[in-house]
């Protein structure tokens, strides 16, 4: 499973990049607002920090304007994935930008039928939003499983990019299902390593080691 970091906070990306756990980055208009930065400037900086795909989202809603914005975003760096919303205009722009050789991440996916359309439009990534389905008492993970089954049935190469991840359990279940990528808020990624028994066990080992009076070096 690839881990993308879901943020436009370059300090957070740098911290996690140092751990060797950043396979890519996803941003969106809300994350750009939260960063307080210019979209082109911060996206360029992120593309220089991370080798993997960096998703930058268009804000136009009509296909031709989406394509124009998408080309501008794609020109920032070779590792840009243009993010497009799952609308008919977004799917049309996806087909055009994909045919031009650009990576495309189709986002705001909430149904298996939407994901099927994105794959048929040639999307590089599909971003089903788990947390937002859970928020309205639907099962976000069921969507991930349905997409996995459908894509495998037909050999679609579109990568499932599990998004709107709110907990470490979302990561576990998405990985069990076989999502190709999970895009994680920095705080969720950091939590993946934590287990109280690990901390307790290490404390005991170090305490017992201290009693040996020995040194490895
Ligand atoms: O990548 C999509 C993600 O940023 C949305 O997360 O928690 O706002 O649903 P959330």
């Amino acid at each position: 499973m690839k881990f993308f970091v879901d943020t436009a906070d370059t300090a957070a990306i740098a911290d996690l990049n140092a751990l060797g756990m950043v396979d890519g980055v996803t941003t969106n208009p809300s994350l750009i607002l939260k960063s307080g930065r210019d979209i082109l400037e911060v996206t360029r900086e992120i593309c220089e920090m991370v080798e993997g795909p960096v998703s930058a989202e268009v804000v136009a809603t009509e296909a031709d304007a989406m394509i124009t914005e998408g080309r501008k975003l794609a020109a920032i760096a070779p590792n840009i994935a243009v993010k497009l919303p799952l609308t008919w205009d977004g799917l049309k722009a996806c087909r055009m930008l994909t045919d031009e050789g650009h990576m495309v991440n189709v986002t705001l996916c909430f149904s298996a039928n939407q994901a099927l359309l994105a794959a048929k439009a040639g999307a590089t990534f599909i971003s089903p939003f788990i947390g937002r389905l859970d928020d309205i008492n639907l099962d976000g993970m069921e969507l991930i499983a349905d997409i996995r089954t459908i894509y495998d049935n037909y050999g679609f190469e579109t990568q499932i990019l599990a998004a709107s991840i709110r907990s470490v359990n979302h990561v576990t279940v998405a990985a069990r299902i076989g999502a190709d990528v999970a895009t994680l808020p920095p705080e969720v990624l950091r939590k993946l390593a934590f287990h109280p028994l690990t901390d307790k066990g290490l404390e005991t080992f170090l305490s017992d080691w201290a009693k040996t009076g020995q040194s490895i070096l």
Side-chain angles (χ1 to χ4, degrees):
M1 174 180 257
K2 284 176 272 189
F3 285 163
F4 290 3
V5 181
D6 195 37
T7 185
D9 178 341
T10 52
I13 295 169
D15 283 350
L16 292 168
N17 218 10
L19 299 178
M21 283 296 161
V22 177
D23 299 309
V25 173
T26 53
T27 69
N28 60 45
S30 302
L31 293 173
I32 296 296
L33 171 64
K34 191 174 176 183
S35 76
R37 299 276 304 273
D38 171 83
I39 181 171
L40 299 179
E41 182 188 295
V42 71
T43 303
R44 184 173 296 109
E45 187 176 330
I46 294 170
C47 288
E48 289 164 0
M49 295 171 71
V50 173
E51 283 183 26
V54 176
S55 291
E57 190 161 341
V58 304
V59 290
T61 54
E62 186 274 329
D64 288 344
M66 286 172 154
I67 292 165
T68 303
E69 287 183 355
R71 287 170 178 154
K72 180 159 186 182
L73 292 172
I76 292 172
N79 55 330
I80 283 282
V82 178
K83 233 181 185 183
L84 297 162
L86 214 151
T87 61
W88 280 116
D89 281 278
L91 292 167
K92 187 176 174 185
C94 175
R95 181 75 274 166
M96 175 65 79
L97 290 168
T98 299
D99 289 349
E100 290 178 358
H102 302 302
M103 284 192 285
V104 173
N105 177 359
V106 176
T107 189
L108 288 170
C109 172
F110 295 97
S111 78
N113 286 334
Q114 285 182 320
L116 184 52
L117 291 172
K120 288 176 67 65
T124 313
F125 302 104
I126 182 67
S127 290
F129 278 33
I130 301 164
R132 294 192 190 184
L133 285 167
D134 290 358
D135 289 345
I136 59 170
N137 291 318
L138 294 176
D139 185 345
M141 279 304 161
E142 190 176 324
L143 174 58
I144 303 292
D146 285 348
I147 298 171
R148 181 73 284 159
T149 300
I150 292 166
Y151 280 15
D152 292 350
N153 286 347
Y154 299 98
F156 285 122
E157 294 182 4
T158 299
Q159 296 179 55
I160 301 172
L161 196 168
S164 186
I165 285 185
R166 309 279 177 76
S167 73
V168 294
N169 291 337
H170 277 164
V171 180
T172 307
V173 178
R176 197 181 291 143
I177 291 168
D180 301 283
V181 187
T183 191
L184 312 177
E187 62 276 10
V188 172
L189 203 161
R190 289 192 192 94
K191 283 178 186 170
L192 290 175
F194 173 75
H195 196 292
L197 290 181
T198 301
D199 292 347
K200 187 171 185 299
L202 184 57
E203 189 180 329
T204 302
F205 283 162
L206 296 179
S207 167
D208 290 348
W209 176 253
K211 292 170 187 165
T212 70
Q214 296 180 45
S215 168
I216 292 174
L217 299 180

